[in-house]
Amino acid sequence: MTLYPNLLPLAEELTTRSVHPERLAPLTRLAALIVAESSVQQTVPLTFICTHNSRRSHLCQVLAATAAAYYGVEGLLCCSGGTEATACNERTVAAFQRAGFEVTNVSGGTNPIYEITCSTGTPPIRAWSKVYNEDGNPDSGYIAIMTCTHADQHCPLAHGSSQRFSLPYRDPKEADDTPDEAATYDARLREI
């Protein structure tokens, strides 16, 4: 699979970076679980969960799906959801576009559905805000990955999940409407 030319610099940058030591252990356990699950089932569903399903969970969903496509990992189903639904934040969408993804708003409205692609050879990743176990996401047997501390603390049980991991990231929302907004969103995308 060949990424879009505008996305290649990000991929090359990220493949040369090391994982922060405090994230290495949980990511190693998650990778081992994915390998084990893939040996017994064709599809391994992951649902990235944050409070509003507007920023971090979408960043994680799209980047995990892109990494799977880039490395030829088959059978990984990457989804996202929140403990409540709002909308995929337009700043998150802009960060994807700056990184080189192609983004299309296919529905409009107050909670638009975006189709995000990383190459001409992969199906689009659909991103919109929804509760983690609503239609569009698996409702059982998925691996829940908590991407924010609020959801991690206030959603101790992800109903229907087979496993639960805590991998929180700082909310880029802290920079909304400041001169650092774009840089903060871009940095979070690269961190994730």
Side-chain angles (χ1 to χ4, degrees):
M1 190 265 318
T2 303
L3 296 175
Y4 292 132
N6 290 343
L7 190 53
L8 280 173
L10 174 66
E12 291 167 1
E13 172 192 337
L14 296 181
T15 57
T16 62
R17 291 176 62 181
S18 59
V19 174
H20 191 280
E22 75 181 32
R23 293 200 180 277
L24 191 56
L27 287 171
T28 299
R29 287 193 311 274
L30 177 58
L33 178 60
I34 290 169
V35 169
E37 293 284 324
S38 68
S39 70
V40 295
Q41 59 192 39
Q42 286 186 332
T43 302
V44 179
L46 307 177
T47 301
F48 296 94
I49 302 171
C50 67
T51 302
H52 297 116
N53 190 213
S54 61
R55 294 172 176 85
R56 291 164 285 180
S57 52
H58 287 295
L59 291 169
C60 290
Q61 172 193 9
V62 170
L63 292 168
T66 300
Y70 183 77
Y71 288 108
V73 176
E74 295 182 13
L76 202 59
L77 174 63
C78 299
C79 302
S80 68
T83 56
E84 58 187 87
T86 56
C88 183
N89 191 277
E90 69 269 1
R91 295 166 184 92
T92 304
V93 172
F96 285 131
Q97 292 169 322
R98 284 191 301 274
F101 289 92
E102 289 191 10
V103 181
T104 305
N105 180 336
V106 297
S107 73
T110 58
N111 184 9
I113 298 172
Y114 296 98
E115 289 190 343
I116 303 168
T117 55
C118 62
S119 76
T120 55
T122 58
I125 302 156
R126 293 175 59 88
W128 75 98
S129 186
K130 62 210 152 299
V131 174
Y132 68 87
N133 58 358
E134 280 186 0
D135 288 346
N137 282 344
D139 59 4
S140 65
Y142 62 92
I143 300 169
I145 304 165
M146 312 308 283
T147 65
C148 80
T149 54
H150 184 269
D152 196 22
Q153 293 167 355
H154 293 91
C155 184
L157 175 64
H159 297 283
S161 66
S162 62
Q163 296 279 336
R164 186 178 184 279
F165 284 83
S166 179
L167 290 170
Y169 296 93
R170 286 183 62 168
D171 195 346
K173 176 173 73 172
E174 65 193 12
D176 285 4
D177 302 320
T178 72
D180 297 328
E181 180 179 280
T184 300
Y185 276 80
D186 294 350
R188 196 66 66 244
L189 183 144
R190 283 169 167 72
E191 178 188 8
I192 289 171

